[in-house]
Amino acid sequence: MGFHCPSLVAWNMVSMSKHTTAVFREAHPEPPFWRVRFEMVNPPRPGCFLLADFGAPLREVLFPAALHTEGFDVLVPPGHPVQRLLPGESVDLLGPFGRGFQTEQVERLLLVAEAQLLSPLLPLLEAAPMVTLVLAAPTRALLPPAQRFPPSVELHLITQDGSVGYAGTLETCHNADSPLLEAIPWADRLCASCDPAFYPKLARMVRQQRLNPPPNFAQVLIQVAMPCGVGACEICRVQTVNGERRACTDGPVFDVLDFVF
Amino acid sequence: MGFHCPSLVAWNMVSMSKHTTAVFREAHPEPPFWRVRFEMVNPPRPGCFLLADFGAPLREVLFPAALHTEGFDVLVPPGHPVQRLLPGESVDLLGPFGRGFQTEQVERLLLVAEAQLLSPLLPLLEAAPMVTLVLAAPTRALLPPAQRFPPSVELHLITQDGSVGYAGTLETCHNADSPLLEAIPWADRLCASCDPAFYPKLARMVRQQRLNPPPNFAQVLIQVAMPCGVGACEICRVQTVNGERRACTDGPVFDVLDFVF
Amino acid sequence: MIELAPNHKFGLPIATPVLPAAGVFGYGDAYRDLVDYRCLGALVTHPVSLHPRRAAYPPRIAVRGEHLLIHTGHPNPGLSAILRQYRDLWERLGVPVILHVLAGTSAEMAEVMDKLSGETAIQGIELGLDEHTSVEKALALLRSICLNSDLPVIVRVPFVGVSALASPLAEAGADALTLTSPPRGLLPLSEASDDEPLPLMRGRLYGPAVFPLLLQQLSYWIPRLPVPVIACGGITSIADARACLALGAVAVQLDAVVWRHPDLLATIAKELANDSDNATP
Amino acid sequence: MIELAPNHKFGLPIATPVLPAAGVFGYGDAYRDLVDYRCLGALVTHPVSLHPRRAAYPPRIAVRGEHLLIHTGHPNPGLSAILRQYRDLWERLGVPVILHVLAGTSAEMAEVMDKLSGETAIQGIELGLDEHTSVEKALALLRSICLNSDLPVIVRVPFVGVSALASPLAEAGADALTLTSPPRGLLPLSEASDDEPLPLMRGRLYGPAVFPLLLQQLSYWIPRLPVPVIACGGITSIADARACLALGAVAVQLDAVVWRHPDLLATIAKELANDSDNATP
Ligand SMILES: Cc1cc2nc3c(=O)[nH]c(=O)nc-3n(C[C@H](O)[C@H](O)[C@H](O)COP(=O)(O)OP(=O)(O)OC[C@H]3O[C@@H](n4cnc5c(N)ncnc54)[C@H](O)[C@@H]3O)c2cc1C
Ligand SMILES: Cc1cc2nc3c(=O)[nH]c(=O)nc-3n(C[C@H](O)[C@H](O)[C@H](O)COP(=O)(O)OP(=O)(O)OC[C@H]3O[C@@H](n4cnc5c(N)ncnc54)[C@H](O)[C@@H]3O)c2cc1C
Ligand SMILES: Cc1cc2nc3c(=O)[nH]c(=O)nc-3n(C[C@H](O)[C@H](O)[C@H](O)COP(=O)(O)O)c2cc1C
Ligand SMILES: Cc1cc2nc3c(=O)[nH]c(=O)nc-3n(C[C@H](O)[C@H](O)[C@H](O)COP(=O)(O)O)c2cc1C
Ligand code: FES
Ligand code: FES
């Protein structure tokens, strides 16, 4: 059963533009994470992602935690497979993929994150003249040290046990004096990275504080499993007011108003 | 469905004497292999083996290629998982297992090997006052350099393409002038590590040169898959004149006369 | 060319024996920046149903070593929406389009075929079957397609259903069979505790260990079936693909491995084309 | 104590729910320097036949990623030789001995049971069945054991045969079922070439990917079966063992993982004993 492929030669000529590599540069501890630096020509914009092949059956979703002219950093947990890479080794990547954060022409940027999901917001710490970060964690020890942040960032901490900052959770930030509620009217853009279960609540807070917020005033990142990154597997579907959407191609950054059910 | 285990405490008290560890010391290239040094209290005798856990679904069979007072060396191919070990790291081992070579009170020791199976014979290079090694390979480039062997060893090379030494294979060493046939009458012990398909032929050569060789005059090592090492899986069975035997517990060193069918 | 439907009046010729499995490749535009579609024998679409289907409740994926358990619920916007959105793309794609169809009843299937009548963008149907579909139901679905459509029909046979379904389907007029759908598995999502019931995830099993199970089925069934067999399950290398063809499969479908290595589709297609060039005198 | 044979007149109580699977642990002395046998609920022996069986022609094992394909031919010196060699050891072992028996016909099985009559070293039988054993043959073998012996009988059900065999066997008097034997697979031993037929190895598949397939079977079948179920297949951790018990299995059998981690038998037995101590008031 022989067959010939007329276009055999031509296959190589199509630009397969989303298959790329990055070069591992170095990694150093930044408790509770490791900061890993890669060199790459077109690193993903904040909120966009890459799929890295580290040998597992699924590629790993990488959100940049910092962007440089010549590449980007990511934060990974200790024991991560990157620790087996040697400086100069290259990593097989697909991407960049997705719709990221839009912060052009923003003056007053409000960032909202749970500490363990903070990393995709880090590239935005100096994305506007005025930046406020509301950061929540169960307890003080799970928060990064304040001196890690640029001095220009106004930092509001929330801990569930009250060990530092406002005592409570993002979910319970209803009181007028809560740092989140106070900051929403001030901001002209909100970017969040939290448990998606919080977003309907956040949408209500935004509605309550801003009456008619413009589209994309509050942009929220959804971190779910994204096996393919291109809209092929349908595993990353999330429910929105407009029906199901794919986190990988329609997100992973959505308008919070998509979650007002 | 609760249950109690009366002997729960006692379990730990039985000596589980064949589960052990060795400490990885260092590895250096010895083309076409890497020589890897381990520290271990009771290293296996020549021809005996260990089962090492390097992360694969089956443990790997390790034959010592050299024995030291404080441990042993093995030869492994490049790219072997030991290259991921750090000096001082320990390796989980089962063993030592098996019946090894017996070379006590031997004066004239004849070693016979195919080059790629040589390593389990290396600890015997100085096991007797006089040692002759008959070493076969398809071509010169696949033989280790002569200066790797102690000067006391008399070396006879056989290459299939005649690029060095006797032109032929172990199987075709019938002629009276062949190094193998010449050496058999001289020796008072023969230890071999070859493709098992050769052993029936070797047995005939031994019979022909020695008429009534004493038991264990010619000892041959069989390298087959040995998943359990203890006689539990029945995967290592080999056919002998006395019926099937297990390489792991009845061998891996057998009397060549076991293979006179 | 390779003929997937030698007994069909129009046939379903494909240029290379490498296809994506239904559900891993979307509807034809998802991989535009990663795969040159000309390397594909055909596009096998994500499963499509008559009415829209919503995604299964998460989690939808679990990893066990080298293996994945996946459970999506086969969400899709329904046939009409799919046709509206992809018809033009499919016409321009340059490779045959095989629509993977899900349907619960033969009446539903008849409606699906009705909507497809006159549709020139589609060259074949792949019928998806549930794990424990009875012979009667499988034959009824197949008959409903054949009665209401001229398109060649491939049936993708469930892993546990090959013994019961393969021969009856081939005799009832399936033009080809895809062996097999992924086996169904179950995994705990966290450790068991005495207090609560164990949270479990049910799904389809993907990964390299499925391959020896597939080959076992191929070696037994290909000589016993009068229709071409497309191999699917745990194929992750050119050697795997070659082994399937050596056992007589006409083509291979790659499944979850495509997400990790989209380039494998073209790599395997090229290597097999070389094999074939070397073999033909 | 855990009762493996609650409906049997003598029963088959075991102290821990952890057993070695037939074929991975020998006959009771192989692991003497590596496993404290008191951690085992019972010894399940290597498969034994009436007459001696020789090993299958090599290769007998192939590795695919995390998985093994194994094919031994179940060599053994035959029942009489085994009894002669191990009877005394079994009497002293301190744990019940379950003899795994292979037999081609019910007449052969009757002879096996005859040789076992009066044998006090054995507390139970595990019946091994071939992959595509028919219901009639399986029931005939079971009946032959029950007619000719007083021992409790566990049947180890083939992976593809659970649907057909599990209920009939349980209703016909099996005291317990082991779910399942390993699935059969096929692997190429080298790359395919056009000139020669592909060298293939057929065997049983072992490894962690078998576990989700096992759990799927357990979750469906345990509630539907009137007898205890012993879980076997790809169990490689304490979490796996707990999941099986959480689904209602009375015990677990560890298979090829024992060769890599013989200590896992004791580790799992201890952890499960702790679980059980914490649960009982
Ligand atoms: C006769 C019979 C024998 C069984 N034997 C066993 C056994 O031996 N072992 C065992 O573990 N389980 C067995 N089962 C159970 C079976 O495998 C499922 O676990 C059971 O059907 C429940 O599945 P589910 O709820 O997860 O639904 P799913 O199997 O996920 O399916 C849910 C729905 O999706 C539909 N569906 C799925 N795929 C398709 C498709 N491609 N096309 C059209 N419709 C689709 C189904 O019809 C169903 O309505 C048996 C079931 C039956 C009916
Ligand atoms: C009704 C039927 C349906 C089949 N359907 C399929 C199918 O859908 N897919 C498929 O791939 N193959 C199928 N087969 C083929 C089957 O799985 C085997 O591949 C086939 O029987 C040949 O196996 P083998 O030669 O490798 O021998 P093995 O299966 O290795 O067995 C050889 C011999 O060992 C005996 N034996 C093995 N284990 C035991 C045991 N525990 N106790 C007692 N005796 C034992 C057998 O009886 C036999 O005599 C089917 C076979 C039959 C009979
Ligand atoms: C085509 C199809 C595929 C499905 N796949 C899975 C699956 O992989 N795993 C699973 O646990 N459930 C699966 N389901 C079950 C669904 O998530 C959901 O439980 C089921 O669809 C509800 O029944 P119904 O939609 O048939 O009415 C599937 C259902 C269908 C119809
Ligand atoms: C109990 C048993 C187990 C076997 N296991 C395998 C196996 O795992 N893989 C395989 O390819 N053949 C297997 N065989 C097949 C044998 O190697 C051999 O082909 C077969 O035994 C020849 O047929 P007979 O002994 O039943 O007459 C098995 C046979 C038996 C009886
Ligand atoms: S990650 Fe596959 S569809 Fe979004
Ligand atoms: S290695 Fe298992 S019996 Fe020899």
Side-chain angles (χ1 to χ4, degrees):
Chain A
M1 183 158 311
F3 65 93
H4 291 273
C5 187
S7 52
L8 195 59
V9 186
W11 290 350
N12 284 330
M13 289 155 45
V14 178
S15 111
M16 299 288 115
S17 55
K18 293 284 191 182
H19 190 184
T20 176
T21 56
V23 175
F24 170 67
R25 267 298 141 229
E26 52 108 23
H28 61 262
E30 197 172 293
F33 296 108
W34 280 68
R35 179 175 289 268
V36 184
R37 177 158 300 194
F38 291 100
E39 272 170 26
M40 184 189 180
V41 180
N42 286 311
R45 302 192 316 101
C48 295
F49 66 98
L50 296 163
L51 291 179
D53 185 5
F54 291 124
L58 286 182
R59 285 175 178 258
E60 187 172 324
V61 177
L62 298 183
F63 285 104
L67 290 158
H68 320 288
T69 44
E70 72 308 354
F72 66 100
D73 292 356
V74 295
L75 296 181
V76 302
H80 188 276
V82 292
Q83 78 181 24
R84 272 185 247 129
L85 295 175
L86 298 176
E89 226 176 299
S90 60
V91 173
D92 184 286
L93 296 174
L94 304 180
F97 293 130
R99 182 177 163 273
F101 291 110
Q102 288 154 27
T103 52
E104 293 75 28
Q105 287 153 358
V106 168
E107 289 284 313
R108 293 182 304 277
L109 175 60
L110 172 58
L111 305 176
V112 181
E114 287 160 29
Q116 85 280 12
L117 299 175
L118 172 63
S119 110
L121 292 189
L122 292 176
L124 301 178
L125 286 176
E126 294 176 296
M130 284 173 279
V131 175
T132 292
L133 169 61
V134 176
L135 189 59
T139 184
R140 177 185 205 140
L142 297 174
L143 286 164
Q147 63 273 23
R148 283 246 191 91
F149 299 99
S152 61
V153 171
E154 190 177 323
L155 198 59
H156 292 280
L157 303 177
I158 300 179
T159 54
Q160 197 164 0
D161 63 0
S163 49
V164 65
Y166 185 83
T169 65
L170 286 173
E171 308 250 337
T172 60
C173 271
H174 306 299
N175 296 344
D177 72 332
S178 93
L180 179 54
L181 233 55
E182 271 183 0
I184 292 174
W186 162 85
D188 52 15
R189 173 68 34 93
L190 187 162
C191 295
S193 178
C194 308
D195 182 336
F198 169 59
Y199 293 151
K201 210 160 247 171
L202 179 62
R204 282 198 296 278
M205 289 184 198
V206 167
R207 278 269 179 92
Q208 175 194 327
Q209 299 290 314
R210 307 281 308 208
L211 298 172
N212 246 331
N216 280 317
F217 163 71
Q219 304 181 359
V220 297
L221 178 80
I222 291 213
Q223 294 199 41
V224 292
M226 293 191 286
C228 77
V230 299
C233 72
E234 308 290 10
I235 287 172
C236 68
R237 290 208 162 200
V238 295
Q239 188 62 46
T240 75
V241 278
N242 308 307
E244 287 178 3
R245 289 289 178 269
R246 296 185 193 116
C248 64
T249 53
D250 302 317
V253 173
F254 290 88
D255 188 330
V256 81
L257 299 182
D258 288 342
F259 302 106
V260 187
F261 293 108
Chain B
M1 184 159 309
F3 65 94
H4 290 272
C5 185
S7 51
L8 196 57
V9 186
W11 291 349
N12 284 330
M13 289 156 45
V14 177
S15 111
M16 301 288 115
S17 54
K18 294 283 189 182
H19 190 184
T20 176
T21 56
V23 175
F24 169 68
R25 267 298 142 230
E26 52 109 23
H28 60 264
E30 197 172 293
F33 296 107
W34 279 68
R35 179 174 288 270
V36 183
R37 176 156 300 193
F38 291 100
E39 272 171 24
M40 185 190 179
V41 180
N42 286 312
R45 300 193 319 101
C48 295
F49 66 98
L50 296 162
L51 290 179
D53 185 5
F54 291 125
L58 285 181
R59 285 175 178 260
E60 187 172 323
V61 177
L62 297 183
F63 286 104
L67 290 159
H68 320 288
T69 42
E70 72 309 352
F72 66 101
D73 292 355
V74 294
L75 296 181
V76 300
H80 187 276
V82 291
Q83 77 181 25
R84 271 185 248 128
L85 295 175
L86 297 175
E89 226 176 298
S90 59
V91 173
D92 185 286
L93 296 173
L94 304 181
F97 293 129
R99 182 176 162 274
F101 292 108
Q102 288 154 28
T103 52
E104 292 76 28
Q105 288 153 358
V106 168
E107 288 285 313
R108 294 182 302 279
L109 175 61
L110 172 59
L111 305 177
V112 181
E114 287 161 28
Q116 84 281 11
L117 298 174
L118 171 64
S119 111
L121 293 189
L122 293 176
L124 301 179
L125 286 177
E126 294 177 296
M130 283 173 280
V131 176
T132 292
L133 169 60
V134 176
L135 190 58
T139 185
R140 176 184 206 142
L142 297 174
L143 286 165
Q147 63 272 27
R148 281 247 192 91
F149 299 99
S152 61
V153 172
E154 191 177 322
L155 199 58
H156 292 280
L157 302 177
I158 301 179
T159 54
Q160 198 165 358
D161 63 1
S163 49
V164 66
Y166 184 83
T169 65
L170 286 173
E171 306 250 336
T172 61
C173 272
H174 305 300
N175 297 344
D177 71 334
S178 94
L180 180 52
L181 232 56
E182 272 182 0
I184 291 174
W186 161 85
D188 52 15
R189 173 68 33 93
L190 186 162
C191 296
S193 177
C194 308
D195 183 336
F198 169 60
Y199 292 151
K201 209 159 248 171
L202 179 62
R204 281 197 298 277
M205 291 184 198
V206 167
R207 277 271 180 90
Q208 175 195 325
Q209 298 291 314
R210 306 283 307 210
L211 297 172
N212 246 333
N216 279 320
F217 163 70
Q219 304 180 0
V220 297
L221 179 80
I222 292 214
Q223 293 199 42
V224 292
M226 294 191 286
C228 78
V230 299
C233 72
E234 307 290 11
I235 287 171
C236 68
R237 289 209 163 201
V238 295
Q239 188 62 45
T240 76
V241 278
N242 308 307
E244 287 179 2
R245 291 288 178 270
R246 294 184 194 117
C248 64
T249 53
D250 302 316
V253 173
F254 290 89
D255 189 332
V256 80
L257 299 181
D258 289 343
F259 302 106
V260 187
F261 293 107
Chain C
M1 299 298 272
I2 296 157
E3 183 49 68
L4 288 185
N7 304 324
H8 187 267
K9 54 184 166 181
F10 310 137
L12 181 43
I14 58 177
T16 82
V18 181
L19 319 173
V24 306
F25 206 70
Y27 302 98
D29 60 347
Y31 275 103
R32 61 185 173 275
D33 295 328
L34 284 163
V35 175
D36 185 341
Y37 286 25
R38 288 170 294 174
C39 77
L40 303 177
L43 170 75
V44 181
T45 70
H46 192 275
V48 176
S49 47
L50 179 63
H51 302 294
R53 287 182 59 92
R54 293 170 64 162
Y57 199 78
R60 305 194 190 110
I61 188 160
V63 178
R64 181 173 169 96
E66 301 167 339
H67 293 79
L68 301 174
L69 202 67
I70 293 172
H71 153 55
T72 62
H74 297 171
N76 75 88
L79 181 60
S80 304
I82 292 291
L83 288 175
R84 231 178 299 123
Q85 194 174 346
Y86 293 103
R87 181 185 284 128
D88 290 347
L89 173 71
W90 292 343
E91 299 272 16
R92 287 180 286 114
L93 204 58
V95 298
V97 173
I98 298 173
L99 187 76
H100 184 98
V101 178
L102 302 182
T105 63
S106 32
E108 195 178 317
M109 185 60 88
E111 273 192 75
V112 168
M113 291 304 133
D114 217 49
K115 276 207 206 292
L116 291 179
S117 82
E119 195 61 67
T120 56
I122 292 165
Q123 281 70 45
I125 298 292
E126 186 179 63
L127 167 62
L129 295 176
D130 194 19
E131 186 78 348
H132 286 273
T133 306
S134 65
V135 179
E136 296 70 40
K137 180 167 173 191
L139 293 179
L141 289 170
L142 174 63
R143 231 175 281 123
S144 177
I145 301 176
C146 297
L147 279 177
N148 296 285
S149 158
D150 267 348
L151 291 166
V153 188
I154 302 161
V155 186
R156 186 163 181 197
V157 185
F159 180 77
V160 299
V162 182
S163 275
L165 300 176
S167 287
L169 285 165
E171 277 148 34
D175 292 293
L177 298 179
T178 301
L179 300 189
T180 70
S181 310
R184 303 300 300 260
L186 187 64
L187 277 178
L189 290 172
S190 59
E191 288 241 341
S193 91
D194 280 321
D195 310 333
E196 308 133 40
L198 186 65
L200 293 163
M201 180 185 150
R202 204 174 292 277
R204 301 166 249 137
L205 185 72
Y206 293 88
V210 176
F211 181 68
L213 304 177
L214 166 68
L215 273 198
Q216 163 80 9
Q217 297 282 21
L218 295 182
S219 80
Y220 185 81
W221 282 107
I222 289 177
R224 288 168 173 78
L225 290 172
V227 297
V229 169
I230 302 167
C232 183
I235 297 168
T236 53
S237 68
I238 169 71
D240 292 353
R242 282 202 184 104
C244 294
L245 299 197
L247 287 176
V250 288
V252 296
Q253 291 186 353
L254 303 195
D255 54 32
V257 73
V258 169
W259 303 333
R260 183 167 170 210
H261 297 301
D263 48 336
L264 201 62
L265 287 161
T267 308
I268 293 183
K270 273 179 221 174
E271 292 284 335
L272 295 181
N274 286 340
D275 294 0
S276 166
D277 285 347
N278 297 342
T280 33
Chain D
M1 298 298 270
I2 296 157
E3 183 49 67
L4 288 186
N7 303 324
H8 187 268
K9 55 184 165 184
F10 309 138
L12 180 43
I14 59 177
T16 81
V18 181
L19 318 174
V24 306
F25 207 69
Y27 301 98
D29 59 348
Y31 275 103
R32 61 184 173 276
D33 294 328
L34 284 163
V35 175
D36 185 340
Y37 286 26
R38 289 171 292 174
C39 77
L40 303 177
L43 170 74
V44 181
T45 70
H46 193 274
V48 176
S49 47
L50 180 62
H51 303 296
R53 286 181 60 92
R54 294 170 63 164
Y57 199 79
R60 306 196 189 108
I61 189 162
V63 178
R64 181 175 169 95
E66 300 167 340
H67 293 79
L68 302 173
L69 202 67
I70 294 172
H71 153 54
T72 62
H74 297 171
N76 74 90
L79 180 61
S80 304
I82 291 293
L83 287 176
R84 231 177 299 123
Q85 193 174 347
Y86 294 103
R87 179 186 284 129
D88 289 348
L89 173 71
W90 291 344
E91 299 273 14
R92 288 179 286 112
L93 204 58
V95 298
V97 173
I98 298 173
L99 187 75
H100 184 97
V101 179
L102 301 183
T105 63
S106 33
E108 194 178 316
M109 186 59 89
E111 272 193 76
V112 168
M113 290 306 132
D114 217 48
K115 276 208 204 291
L116 290 179
S117 81
E119 196 61 67
T120 56
I122 291 165
Q123 282 71 45
I125 299 291
E126 186 180 63
L127 167 61
L129 296 176
D130 193 22
E131 186 77 347
H132 286 273
T133 306
S134 64
V135 179
E136 297 71 39
K137 180 168 174 191
L139 292 179
L141 289 170
L142 175 62
R143 231 175 280 121
S144 178
I145 302 176
C146 297
L147 279 176
N148 296 285
S149 159
D150 268 348
L151 291 167
V153 188
I154 302 160
V155 185
R156 187 164 181 198
V157 185
F159 180 76
V160 299
V162 182
S163 276
L165 299 174
S167 287
L169 285 166
E171 275 148 34
D175 293 294
L177 299 179
T178 301
L179 299 191
T180 70
S181 310
R184 302 300 299 263
L186 187 64
L187 276 178
L189 290 172
S190 59
E191 288 241 342
S193 90
D194 280 321
D195 311 333
E196 308 133 40
L198 185 66
L200 292 163
M201 179 186 152
R202 204 173 291 278
R204 300 166 249 137
L205 186 73
Y206 292 88
V210 176
F211 181 68
L213 304 177
L214 166 69
L215 274 199
Q216 164 80 9
Q217 297 283 22
L218 295 180
S219 80
Y220 185 81
W221 282 108
I222 290 177
R224 289 167 172 79
L225 290 171
V227 299
V229 169
I230 302 166
C232 183
I235 297 167
T236 53
S237 69
I238 169 71
D240 291 353
R242 282 201 185 106
C244 294
L245 300 196
L247 286 176
V250 289
V252 296
Q253 292 185 353
L254 304 195
D255 53 34
V257 74
V258 169
W259 303 333
R260 183 167 171 210
H261 296 301
D263 49 334
L264 201 61
L265 287 161
T267 307
I268 292 182
K270 273 179 221 173
E271 291 285 335
L272 294 181
N274 285 341
D275 293 359
S276 164
D277 285 349
N278 296 343
T280 33

